[in-house]
Amino acid sequence: MNLLVTGGAGFIGSNFIRYILNKYPDYKIINLDALKYSGNLENLKDVDKNPRYGFVKGDICDKKVVDFLAKKRPDAIINFSAMTHVDRSILEPEEFTKTDILGVQTLLEAARKYKIDLFIQISTDECYGSIEKGSFTEESTLSPTNPYSASKAGADLIALAYYKTFNVPVIITRSSNNFGPYQYPEKLIPLFITNLLEDKKIPLYGDGKHKRDWIYVLDNCEAIDYAIHYGKIGEIYNISGNTEKTNLEITAFILNYLKKDETYIEFVKDRPGHDRRYSLNSSKIKKLGWSPKYKFDDALEYTIEWYKNNQSWWKKIKSGEFLEYYKKQYSEI
Ligand code: TYD
């Protein structure tokens, strides 16, 4: 297969590209990425010279570049491009609407024009909003609560509309919270690991009892692979790691592994509109034969080790744009 991966220089996209090139020796990938703050070619240094991999710098909102690549008629377009961080979406909501909704529409238009056979939209459990008990299925009502999740829900609806109205062959995957190597250190797990490695405090929002359903990034990559090869057009697939943890539990695990005590926790003001709990029912994708393989504890330990061993990767990030964001974030809370 020839795949056009968009947003492949980000966290999940770069892990997916590496996974596909390793798993399928005859697949080729073109990666279109605007290299905005979290897109980083260092995430793909090891595949850079692979003759089956090519990189194009460009924005999914740019019709010209999208048209140019879609015209080559890849077998599938897989869209990972998105602004993804909730706190950032509270600081700059407009950017999220532009990239996450209009960018996706630009891709869908190109898929429609060049009759692409498969369009995979990578989405998130956050579209469903918070749930007190039980788990969301693919039929649950979308009830996003912040500009990020609203922009992703908007993109999903546009994608489904292109399927229903124009027969663009769309499949949507909605996964729970990912973690693993190359995750930008503004998210809970990499932020806390890297702060502790720098001997800094870790800002826990509110009472720390918010719950997330965690999945190791390579389990998500494999589920997306199943959706590409066995998924049904027009369908949505929830992808869960089946590991529900409070933020306090995640924090305790990281503190313990890095041999730090609770004095490093700084309870800070809660995020506005903070969703209390996310939970997904992923029995639909399990019927395709997928299930998560990685044990949470092992995967989190591996991830901590990765950040320990790749300090130059995240130190560069934390000294630049990230620092500005971080200052802004805390001055506006
Ligand atoms: P995050 O990694 O931003 O993912 P999401 O909000 O998309 O689920 O946050 C995960 C959880 O951790 C969420 O409940 C917010 C909380 N959190 C903190 O307590 N402190 C932090 O500094 C961050 C970034 C997140």
Side-chain angles (χ1 to χ4, degrees), residues 4-10 17 29-36 39-41 44 47-48 50 52-59 65 69:
L4 172 59
V5 171
T6 55
I17 288 176
I29 295 179
I30 295 292
N31 172 19
L32 172 68
D33 197 297
L35 300 183
K36 290 186 186 166
N40 183 353
L41 286 182
L44 289 161
V47 304
D48 202 19
N50 189 319
R52 294 183 290 116
Y53 168 76
F55 172 71
V56 175
K57 184 173 184 300
D59 196 316
V65 71
L69 293 172

Side-chain angles (χ1 to χ4, degrees), residues 132-280:
E132 241 177 76
K133 279 189 194 137
S135 303
F136 290 117
T137 70
E138 289 80 357
E139 271 78 51
S140 300
T141 308
L142 297 183
S143 187
T145 55
N146 58 63
Y148 161 60
S149 51
S151 72
K152 291 299 285 183
D156 286 8
L157 294 178
I158 297 275
L160 290 172
Y162 268 68
Y163 164 63
K164 285 176 192 148
T165 313
F166 305 118
N167 289 318
V168 174
V170 166
I171 293 177
I172 294 173
T173 67
R174 291 190 185 132
S175 76
S176 55
N177 280 58
N178 281 232
F179 69 99
Y182 300 104
Q183 188 169 29
Y184 198 82
E186 64 190 351
K187 303 277 184 153
L188 177 79
I189 288 180
L191 178 70
F192 281 19
I193 297 170
T194 57
N195 273 15
L196 291 171
L197 290 173
E198 290 179 302
D199 207 38
K200 287 185 184 153
K201 294 221 171 198
I202 48 179
L204 200 53
Y205 298 161
D207 62 4
K209 290 185 183 154
H210 301 79
K211 288 182 179 162
R212 296 292 182 264
D213 171 359
W214 293 93
I215 184 167
Y216 187 56
V217 63
L218 289 181
D219 274 330
N220 188 20
C221 292
E222 189 180 49
I224 296 165
D225 178 10
Y226 270 72
I228 294 171
H229 292 96
Y230 312 114
K232 195 169 158 227
I233 301 298
E235 296 290 321
I236 299 163
Y237 293 95
N238 287 346
I239 303 169
S240 145
N242 283 333
T243 310
E244 187 169 320
K245 303 269 181 202
T246 64
N247 296 337
L248 265 170
E249 285 169 328
I250 297 282
T251 304
F253 189 107
I254 299 172
L255 282 170
N256 183 43
Y257 190 82
L258 291 175
K259 301 193 171 37
K260 304 270 189 193
D261 61 33
E262 286 174 2
T263 59
Y264 280 87
I265 300 177
E266 193 175 5
F267 283 93
V268 296
K269 200 175 161 198
D270 209 353
R271 169 191 279 171
H274 194 175
D275 289 332
R276 194 69 178 164
R277 176 175 177 262
Y278 294 144
S279 181
L280 285 181

